[in-house]
Amino acid sequence: MDTPSYPSPGYLNISVQSEDFDIGLELQQLKAATPQAGALVNFVGLVRDMSVDGKLNRMFIEHYPAMTEKALHHIAGQAFQRWPLLGVRIIHRVGTLAAQAQIVLVAAASLHRQAAFEACAFMMDYLKAEAPLWKKEIGDFGEHWVEARTSDEQAKQQWKLPG
Amino acid sequence: MDTPSYPSPGYLNISVQSEDFDIGLELQQLKAATPQAGALVNFVGLVRDMSVDGKLNRMFIEHYPAMTEKALHHIAGQAFQRWPLLGVRIIHRVGTLAAQAQIVLVAAASLHRQAAFEACAFMMDYLKAEAPLWKKEIGDFGEHWVEARTSDEQAKQQWKLPG
Amino acid sequence: MKITILYFARIKEVVNYSSEDVVLPDGVETIVALKSWLSGRGETWRKLFHGSGVVRAAINHELVDDMATVEEGDEVAFFPPVTGG
Amino acid sequence: MKITILYFARIKEVVNYSSEDVVLPDGVETIVALKSWLSGRGETWRKLFHGSGVVRAAINHELVDDMATVEEGDEVAFFPPVTGG
């Protein structure tokens, strides 16, 4: 794991892995690491069973190993700078995943709910636009790389600070 | 459980209970009930161990039994009307809870992340402002009812639709 | 007309009841009129409804404002601003 | 100067390499110059870097734009817009 490039005054744990994860266990660990927390917000992304081309059987996620964790640390570091967070947990899976499998977990712990909600949405928007991961969908239609959506880039832009 | 007062084209499950809940199990059930979902967002509220008056030992949550589930159904119904949600799960605990105990779970499932994020934040803001629940903090300082925060009313107001 | 009134949280502790059935005199047909009528019971009640604290009301499990109409058989509830979540 | 170039996802499949070490001629010192130089390898490369698809670049694991400077020993990566999450 890389050293975070930004200060992270709270708890930070980032994993890029092929194995599945247990949401309940992950949130329990985040909660245990942030005993002052009053709010936990988490996002889980799942493999949808439909692609634009038809029914999807599985998904392959490629990534840039030396860069992925660094990019996720950078994103989490920005969230720690912008919101009073107590802890962050990020997991992104890579490799071959079945339909409905869990792909990504982003969780934030804070005293009050607004910081956790905003930071969690911010980190997902940045992850979608900046983390070096690529999805390939595999189905009866054959296989294709997922096209980047301009809405994901726009979602990131909305977080830009003025000036 | 009351009949929802609003249409809920998706999966909806609301509980008001004294028992604790298992976040992982709840999200697994929500996921199973919404096989098309690509995004799950959930909020968990926890009893903080500090009150404005000092260290908190436990919290007592009173509610208006005949009205609480109805109010939560109303809130979830509004979320289903405003966002393309596939499913919603809400649990609110009542009675005596220890410091760091789980108080509330609000989870939303949708195809894409934005709907789930917004609906989850919306439901929490409305729950805080409209659901008939009252917290009493108990600590070395004695006990006191928690004061409503004007920021919670403001958080609700921001969701008002124009006109 | 006869209604049931419920009290919750701090208000329940102040009035020392959790519920009561009352028969309202003619003319007491709104929440604001009901608050005034209850205030006639004495200092505790007057301070409750005319003091600095906000008292919210529900009729038959729906939040209402002061101008809402009370009808025969209604369940009226008085409580402080909510603090769940 | 000598650098390492990595290719990912669709681009890796197009060029049919995942990585290569290359020695750059004098004057090739930016990402845009590197793209032009690689385009000289033939039609596949020219279409990759000058076609309709966006090609993103990173130097030493940091996202960069076309004007970024390439230095001796750098790890340069080319990849399509990311689609994780």
Side-chain angles (χ1 to χ4, degrees), chain D residues 11 13 15-16 19 23 29-30 34 36 39-40 43-44 52-53 55 58-59 66 69 74 78 83:
Chain D
I11 292 177
E13 292 179 356
V15 305
N16 223 6
S19 75
V23 176
E29 293 169 352
T30 59
L34 176 58
S36 288
S39 298
E43 184 62 9
T44 300
S52 59
V55 177
I59 299 179
D66 269 0
T69 305
D74 277 355
F78 289 115
T83 59

Side-chain angles (χ1 to χ4, degrees), chain A residues 62-64 66-67 70 92 103-104 124 127-136 145-148, chain D residues 6-13 56 58 60-63 75-77 79-85:
Chain A
E62 180 171 334
H63 77 130
Y64 181 176
M67 184 173 166
K70 203 166 176 175
H92 204 298
I103 303 172
V104 59
M124 272 309 299
L127 187 159
K128 287 252 180 193
E130 298 199 340
L133 294 137
W134 302 275
K135 287 178 183 151
K136 179 186 266 185
W145 291 99
V146 171
E147 292 291 330
Chain D
L6 307 183
Y7 304 94
F8 291 97
R10 189 202 307 274
I11 292 177
K12 177 170 71 181
E13 292 179 356
R56 298 230 183 275
N60 301 329
H61 318 129
E62 302 276 355
L63 280 171
E75 177 173 304
V76 174
F79 44 76
V82 303
T83 59

Side-chain angles (χ1 to χ4, degrees), chain B:
Chain B
M1 200 184 292
D2 286 279
T3 309
S5 15
Y6 281 79
S8 62
Y11 169 82
L12 176 58
N13 189 358
I14 289 176
S15 307
V16 178
Q17 62 189 44
S18 55
E19 304 79 49
D20 200 5
F21 52 84
D22 176 333
I23 305 172
L25 182 66
E26 294 301 335
L27 292 183
Q28 206 174 324
Q29 288 173 349
L30 177 58
K31 203 161 64 176
T34 59
Q36 285 87 42
L40 298 179
V41 173
N42 83 283
F43 173 86
V44 178
L46 306 165
V47 178
R48 284 190 298 275
D49 60 3
M50 288 300 290
S51 140
V52 286
D53 286 342
K55 191 149 177 57
L56 186 145
N57 298 326
R58 58 192 194 279
M59 177 174 274
F60 173 72
I61 302 182
E62 178 169 336
H63 77 130
Y64 181 176
M67 182 172 167
T68 313
E69 287 191 3
K70 204 167 178 176
L72 296 177
H73 270 104
H74 183 87
I75 292 164
Q78 287 175 285
F80 272 108
Q81 286 193 319
R82 290 181 65 165
W83 289 277
L85 301 179
L86 298 166
V88 165
R89 175 73 170 121
I90 301 178
I91 305 175
H92 204 299
R93 295 178 69 193
V94 293
T96 301
L97 305 180
Q100 297 179 30
Q102 303 182 140
I103 303 172
V104 59
L105 171 80
V106 172
S110 59
L111 276 176
H112 301 290
R113 73 189 184 285
Q114 200 189 351
F117 266 118
E118 290 185 4
C120 193
F122 168 90
M123 288 188 285
M124 272 309 300
D125 285 344
Y126 268 70
L127 187 158
K128 286 252 180 193
E130 297 199 341
L133 294 138
W134 301 274
K135 287 178 184 150
K136 179 187 267 187
E137 292 176 335
I138 302 155
D140 302 336
F141 50 82
E143 58 178 56
H144 58 228
W145 290 99
V146 171
E147 292 291 329
R149 300 174 358 140
T150 52
S151 62
D152 284 331
E153 184 59 27
Q154 287 160 357
K156 187 188 95 169
Q157 294 301 330
Q158 73 174 335
W159 296 102
K160 288 269 185 252
L161 296 169

Side-chain angles (χ1 to χ4, degrees), chain C residues 8-30:
Chain C
F8 291 97
R10 189 202 308 273
I11 292 176
K12 178 171 70 182
E13 293 179 355
V14 167
V15 305
N16 221 7
Y17 296 32
S18 62
S19 76
E20 57 177 325
D21 290 336
V22 294
V23 176
L24 301 182
D26 286 353
V28 178
E29 294 169 352
T30 60

Side-chain angles (χ1 to χ4, degrees), chain A residues 63-83:
Chain A
H63 77 130
Y64 181 176
M67 184 173 166
T68 314
E69 287 192 2
K70 203 166 176 175
L72 297 178
H73 270 104
H74 183 85
I75 292 163
Q78 287 176 285
F80 271 107
Q81 286 193 319
R82 290 182 64 166
W83 289 277

